[in-house]
Amino acid sequence: MTTQNRTENPDAEQPRGRSLPVTDVSLVVLIGSSGSGKSTFARRHFRPTEVVSSDFCRGLVADDENDQSASADAFDVLHYIVGKRLAAGRRTVVDATNVQAEARRQLIKIARDHDVLPIAVVLDVPEGVCAERNRTRPDRQLPAHVIPRQQRELRRSLRGLEREGFRKVHVLRGEAEIEAAEIRTEKRYNDLRHLTGPFDVVGDIHGCRSELETLLTTLGYQLARDERGRPVDAVHPEGRTAVFVGDLVDRGPDSPGVLRLVMGMVGAGHALCVPGNHENKLGRWMDGRKVTVAYGLQESIDQLAGETEEFRAEVRAFMRGLVSHYLLDEGRLVVCHAGLPEKYHGRNSGRVRSHALYGDTTGETDEYGLPVRYPWAEEYRGKALVVYGHTPVPTASFLNNTICLDTGCVFGGSLTALRYPEREVVSVPAEQEWYAPVRPMHTDAPGAREGRPLDLADVTGRRVVETAHHGRVSVREENAAAALEVMSRFALDPRLLAYLPPTMSPVATSRREGYLEHPEEAFAAYRSAGVREVVCEEKHMGSRAVVLLARDAAGLEKRFGVEGPGAIWTRTGRAFLTDGELTGAVLDRLRTAAERAGLFEELATDWLLLDAELMPWSLKAVELLRRQYAAVGAAAGSALPQVIAALEAGEARGLPLAGLTARQRQRAADAEAFVESYRRYCWPTEGLTGLRLAPFQVLAAEGANLATRPHDQHLAWIDRLVEADDQDAPVLRRTGRLLVDTADEASVAAGTAWWEELTAAGGEGMVVKPLASLVRGDGRLVQPGVKVRGREYLRIIYGPDYTEHLDRLRERSLGHKRSLALREYALGLEALDRLAAGEPLWRVHEAVFAVLALESEPVDPRL
């Protein structure tokens, strides 16, 4: 019944349409003779971008969709496009005749290569209908023998499509059935991204039912028992869901008890479960297949023999229905038994299932005769957290955004769970050693620390870093190369470099007479951005320093994998002080102050990350001072007095030199002011004597990015630190500050007066910041701070006589500097967010490295 007949005869009985389930990520192969309606079917049921047509590909390579001589090249193009789409996880429909086994074999291979399901949709239309449709096509006239040959090939193919490798075969016979068919998109069985948790992921249990009860109770679950007192369900009062990584059975004392509890939780919707290799083997044995009874299988066989046939049937059905792995929480969490590289997440194939159940091996065996497992987790760079088990480890720890939860309970270790999204590890000890391990319990792949945490591929070439607060930030290849040079030659251990401070933009150029920078532009800019409350902070006469402070060596080693008291580094990641003993002494003073101030307890942390200024400037820049600033001052001090004396002598003889003499006297005064300016930043130090550290922000603590907290909270913490320092010989210095209401003229005037007072006394100036710290205006980030430098300090930056060139200097361009400041600020926040979330080192370092790379962008260094 054609569409036309259905329209003309509406009272005729309509065929009931078939619903064809098609997986959301799959390769759909349309099979049918020319004229069977494949292209029409594809247009009706799939998006245009999902369909790859052989005719279209002929047109691409030959400018003629009917040029059969171009078919070989056209199918090369078709296969290439199909491969690219499947690699990206896109459902793809191939619109070609595909009646020949060889054509289908190539497509099935592409599907397998990309671990997606191949699905066949056959349009079986009578030969006469196909021939008639081709006769009415003005753009194509096929030889008479083509359609009969295709029909014969189609008939030979129909019975063997599943044997060829198609996971689903839908055969539509006749025009009416094709017309009435509907495509129903199915989610993959492993796609549970709509479930967002919270979850409690439980490691390998191996029949340790009592320990499982203890762990679930510790996690807050309430056990339900049957009439015989056996646990058959567990419910969390807060609605949390348990997820089991497999290996429920074998070796331990009560595999049936574990199965009864887990099956009850899964059946009631309180848990999810993926299979382990031990479930896979036990299931095959229960199905009557031949397996080697070893590695604890006999214990499960003997224990199940004491159960009812009904229970054993339930166990068989349960294990047959287990899915190799699950994607959860919008794809941010992957749970499987033996681990899974990112390219397999959400995919469906025997290869994926095998890796999820058994992992991958190197082909070698260790001294105990066991396979050496390939260390996939050391190379993992995926965004999803992969939680797995399978290989016993002494303790569960994160490695490159993966974590192994098999802590060897059955071997006398512990039973472990991961609370997600909290990333909190919870363990209960084994009641005894239930099964002697073949080898001492240790990991042969991922260690307790990140094995190969960083790779050149993480930072080289052009890169784009996704940030939560500023979108995508691009890093040019040449800038990455420059940063790599600095980082690899001079920087501290990258495990310590959790943050690099961003550059800061100067205030908009002032038009006020005699000034290049003035606070009124800062207040006006924030007022126009809708920021009413700002804090003005004293700008110290030192150099920017980041301080990682450990409460004790164990705390630092636990989080960063490096022993020691902490570290102090510069804006480029170099050790600030070359003297290790002096660094230790500064950290010790700071640690003592933090302990007295109670900051470790208040923030529930064993470490703190601080942004600070270390003084004097000469402590870091002594060579710069000697070679550049002191040299200019010395040259001026030596030459100008002689020049002035000669000019004065000429004047005494009556020469008209008054103007020139006055000019040189002004130059001498400027040079003297220049020397006086940089001398304020230099004073002698010996050990801690003379050294000053002025923290102004607590950037991070365990599990927390504190940089987005209001600045008054930071300054209150800092004040407590300073007050807790040794007041007889202080090292810590308070940061002066003043709150300003940008909408209040009196408050703005007070802020301006405070800046004038600071700079008149020789101070560098101040930094104006939104009190709320992180602020957005019109959907975009607002500058986190602008520096307003004093007139005399700018003499150091622009030269002794810069005030004579203000008109030219006012043409300086600030746009690039402002853009750079925002991008680096967003990257810094991103690094701290990733650090707080416990993400792997390479993810934190990606953002940190990008900050250093952006520093290579060309910008006026005086800004």
Side-chain angles (χ1 to χ4, degrees):
M1 185 179 298
T2 64
T3 303
Q4 182 179 356
N5 289 335
R6 290 175 60 187
T7 304
E8 293 175 350
N9 192 7
D11 295 328
E13 182 179 350
Q14 303 297 326
R16 186 177 181 181
R18 283 180 54 191
S19 179
L20 311 182
V22 174
T23 309
D24 58 352
V25 179
S26 59
L27 176 61
V28 181
V29 179
L30 301 182
I31 303 173
S33 302
S34 297
S36 60
K38 298 181 300 300
S39 297
T40 301
F41 185 88
R43 284 194 299 270
R44 179 184 301 140
H45 297 291
F46 300 100
R47 293 194 298 267
T49 53
E50 292 181 305
V51 181
V52 185
S53 162
S54 59
D55 289 345
F56 175 75
C57 291
R58 275 193 205 90
L60 284 178
V61 299
D63 293 328
D64 183 357
E65 293 188 354
N66 297 314
D67 185 354
Q68 298 300 313
S69 67
S71 289
D73 290 338
F75 276 95
D76 284 344
V77 172
L78 183 145
H79 293 157
Y80 179 81
I81 296 173
V82 168
K84 288 297 184 182
R85 284 187 57 82
L86 296 182
R90 308 289 184 188
R91 180 167 65 184
T92 304
V93 181
V94 176
D95 176 13
T97 57
N98 296 314
V99 293
Q100 296 178 329
E102 178 58 30
R104 297 190 298 270
R105 189 176 300 116
Q106 293 183 62
L107 293 172
I108 291 171
K109 180 181 183 302
I110 294 172
R112 287 174 172 168
D113 288 345
H114 294 91
D115 302 289
V116 302
L117 299 180
I119 298 173
V121 177
V122 181
L123 306 187
D124 187 4
V125 177
E127 180 179 325
V129 174
C130 294
E132 178 60 26
R133 288 175 175 173
N134 277 285
R135 275 194 297 272
T136 60
R137 288 188 60 176
D139 61 332
R140 176 179 300 174
Q141 294 297 318
L142 297 177
H145 70 276
V146 171
I147 292 178
R149 187 196 70 213
Q150 292 177 349
Q151 289 287 86
R152 291 193 299 272
E153 291 173 331
L154 178 63
R155 294 282 171 268
R156 286 195 296 267
S157 301
L158 283 177
R159 293 185 179 180
L161 292 175
E162 290 185 351
R163 291 195 300 273
E164 289 180 11
F166 287 104
R167 295 291 294 272
K168 295 178 183 178
V169 177
H170 303 303
V171 181
L172 300 174
R173 302 185 188 277
E175 296 174 82
E177 192 168 316
I178 293 171
E179 181 70 20
E182 295 293 337
I183 296 295
R184 185 180 79 250
T185 298
E186 284 186 332
K187 292 177 62 176
R188 292 152 286 163
Y189 292 137
N190 53 38
D191 185 0
L192 298 182
R193 288 176 293 177
H194 61 285
L195 300 180
T196 57
F199 301 107
D200 298 305
V201 189
V202 180
D204 300 39
I205 303 168
H206 282 299
C208 298
R209 189 261 311 153
S210 180
E211 287 88 341
L212 176 58
E213 290 187 41
T214 302
L215 179 61
L216 290 173
T217 302
T218 303
L219 291 169
Y221 289 79
Q222 298 170 355
L223 297 175
R225 301 181 182 273
D226 63 12
E227 65 281 357
R228 296 173 56 182
R230 300 175 299 187
V232 294
D233 194 6
V235 183
H236 199 285
E238 298 175 4
R240 300 181 71 90
T241 301
V243 186
F244 297 94
V245 303
D247 276 6
L248 310 174
V249 301
D250 294 352
R251 296 175 175 154
D254 191 5
S255 289
V258 172
L259 286 166
R260 184 175 291 107
L261 176 52
V262 173
M263 288 163 53
M265 294 179 69
V266 172
H270 301 142
L272 301 168
C273 184
V274 297
N277 57 301
H278 285 264
E279 281 79 51
N280 186 51
K281 195 171 185 181
L282 176 60
R284 287 187 289 129
W285 179 86
M286 296 183 77
D287 287 337
R289 298 168 66 180
K290 185 177 180 181
V291 298
T292 301
V293 179
Y295 303 114
L297 177 58
Q298 188 63 54
E299 281 77 3
S300 293
I301 294 172
D302 294 342
Q303 292 164 16
L304 285 169
E307 299 293 330
T308 65
E309 180 56 38
E310 180 184 10
F311 179 77
R312 289 195 292 270
E314 291 175 357
V315 170
R316 282 197 297 274
F318 173 72
M319 289 192 291
R320 287 173 187 156
L322 295 177
V323 178
S324 67
H325 70 287
Y326 283 124
L327 276 71
L328 300 163
D329 191 21
E330 302 297 334
R332 288 185 282 265
L333 174 64
V334 171
V335 178
C336 54
H337 178 63
L340 206 62
E342 187 176 32
K343 64 181 180 179
Y344 293 153
H345 294 178
R347 301 299 173 120
N348 295 284
S349 69
R351 174 168 55 185
V352 172
R353 182 175 177 82
S354 176
H355 199 294
L357 286 172
Y358 299 98
D360 197 6
T361 62
T362 64
E364 305 168 297
T365 55
D366 61 17
E367 64 269 33
Y368 303 98
L370 298 176
V372 176
R373 306 202 179 280
Y374 185 78
W376 68 274
E378 294 185 5
E379 301 172 356
Y380 181 71
R381 292 296 186 266
K383 294 182 179 179
L385 170 63
V386 179
V387 185
Y388 66 105
H390 189 53
T391 304
V393 294
T395 57
S397 60
F398 288 95
L399 170 62
N400 287 337
N401 215 22
T402 76
I403 186 169
C404 177
L405 297 182
D406 183 1
T407 48
C409 182
V410 75
F411 301 131
S414 60
L415 184 61
T416 298
L418 174 72
R419 289 169 56 85
Y420 177 93
E422 299 87 345
R423 297 174 77 102
E424 175 189 351
V425 175
V426 179
S427 296
V428 297
E431 295 179 0
Q432 66 177 71
E433 182 185 279
W434 299 104
Y435 194 92
V438 174
R439 64 182 171 198
M441 193 169 67
H442 67 281
T443 175
D444 57 355
R449 280 283 150 212
E450 301 196 11
R452 295 197 300 272
L454 297 178
D455 190 278
L456 280 177
D458 296 332
V459 294
T460 53
R462 183 183 182 277
R463 305 194 60 79
V464 175
V465 182
E466 292 282 354
T467 67
H469 301 291
H470 200 58
R472 295 158 63 90
V473 177
S474 299
V475 176
R476 295 189 182 96
E477 182 176 1
E478 58 270 27
N479 294 343
L484 183 61
E485 172 78 7
V486 173
M487 191 74 75
S488 59
R489 293 184 61 189
F490 306 113
L492 290 174
D493 188 324
R495 291 174 293 179
L496 295 170
L497 291 177
Y499 179 81
L500 287 179
T503 189
M504 181 174 290
S505 174
V507 67
T509 302
S510 175
R511 294 294 171 181
R512 182 181 286 246
E513 181 65 29
Y515 289 89
L516 188 61
E517 296 179 6
H518 194 273
E520 60 188 6
E521 278 76 22
F523 299 137
Y526 280 123
R527 183 169 57 250
S528 66
V531 179
R532 180 160 181 170
E533 292 183 298
V534 297
V535 58
C536 305
E537 294 183 8
E538 171 190 5
K539 207 168 185 311
H540 296 287
M541 299 180 179
S543 303
R544 193 78 169 265
V546 181
V547 182
L548 177 60
L549 177 67
R551 190 173 194 178
D552 53 46
L556 196 70
E557 199 280 333
K558 179 181 177 182
R559 180 60 187 87
F560 296 93
V562 179
E563 294 184 354
I568 306 174
W569 60 87
T570 67
R571 289 191 65 239
T572 57
R574 308 180 190 215
F576 198 108
L577 303 170
T578 57
D579 186 338
E581 289 187 8
L582 181 56
T583 299
V586 175
L587 292 171
D588 187 58
R589 288 291 293 272
L590 190 55
R591 182 185 309 104
T592 300
E595 287 281 13
R596 291 173 179 170
L599 291 188
F600 290 120
E601 289 82 1
E602 179 179 331
L603 298 174
T605 186
D606 290 326
W607 56 271
L608 293 170
L609 192 65
L610 305 173
D611 208 350
E613 197 85 2
L614 192 55
M615 297 166 278
W617 186 31
S618 54
L619 194 65
K620 171 190 170 187
V622 61
E623 287 303 314
L624 177 67
L625 285 164
R626 287 173 179 166
R627 285 194 297 240
Q628 182 170 323
Y629 298 107
V632 170
S638 173
L640 287 176
Q642 297 182 44
V643 170
I644 292 171
L647 291 172
E648 288 175 343
E651 278 189 82
R653 294 197 302 272
L655 296 175
L657 300 174
L660 182 58
T661 304
R663 166 78 179 112
Q664 297 309 309
R665 286 177 182 146
Q666 183 60 50
R667 291 185 67 196
D670 288 342
E672 185 178 346
F674 172 79
V675 171
E676 184 62 28
S677 294
Y678 78 71
R679 277 180 176 171
R680 295 191 183 100
Y681 294 81
C682 311
W683 60 80
T685 63
E686 183 176 350
L688 292 180
T689 303
L691 185 146
R692 294 292 182 269
L693 180 70
F696 53 83
Q697 192 169 23
V698 184
L699 295 167
E702 185 63 50
N705 174 4
L706 303 173
T708 56
R709 303 278 184 92
H711 282 292
D712 53 354
Q713 185 173 358
H714 287 278
L715 293 170
W717 283 329
I718 299 305
D719 286 348
R720 286 162 53 187
L721 271 178
V722 174
E723 291 168 6
D725 191 21
D726 183 351
Q727 299 303 310
D728 293 330
V731 168
L732 303 183
R733 176 171 167 176
R734 182 179 183 273
T735 295
R737 82 294 306 255
L738 182 70
L739 296 180
V740 171
D741 182 345
T742 61
D744 184 320
E745 291 186 8
S747 183
V748 168
T752 301
W754 188 63
W755 175 81
E756 291 172 344
E757 180 184 338
L758 286 175
T759 55
E764 181 175 333
M766 68 185 184
V767 177
V768 183
K769 306 175 180 178
L771 182 62
S773 189
L774 178 64
V775 176
R776 305 188 72 85
D778 296 328
R780 297 183 299 175
L781 273 181
V782 171
Q783 287 288 346
V786 293
K787 54 190 177 184
V788 187
R789 296 166 291 185
R791 292 185 63 190
E792 294 309 310
Y793 175 78
L794 288 173
R795 210 177 283 281
I796 303 175
I797 303 301
Y798 288 102
D801 55 353
Y802 87 101
T803 52
E804 299 179 24
H805 310 287
L806 286 180
D807 289 340
R808 178 170 54 84
L809 291 175
R810 286 192 175 107
E811 302 307 315
R812 59 183 185 167
S813 176
L814 297 178
H816 190 188
K817 182 72 170 183
R818 288 170 175 166
S819 169
L820 197 61
L822 282 179
R823 284 179 284 154
E824 292 186 13
Y825 175 60
L827 287 166
L829 291 180
E830 185 67 22
L832 296 176
D833 281 340
R834 295 178 182 185
L835 179 70
E839 293 197 35
L841 172 61
W842 76 268
R843 285 271 296 160
V844 177
H845 198 68
E846 178 186 45
V848 173
F849 185 89
V851 173
L852 185 58
L854 293 187
E855 283 294 299
S856 301
E857 288 195 7
V859 66
D860 187 346
R862 300 172 299 178
L863 294 179

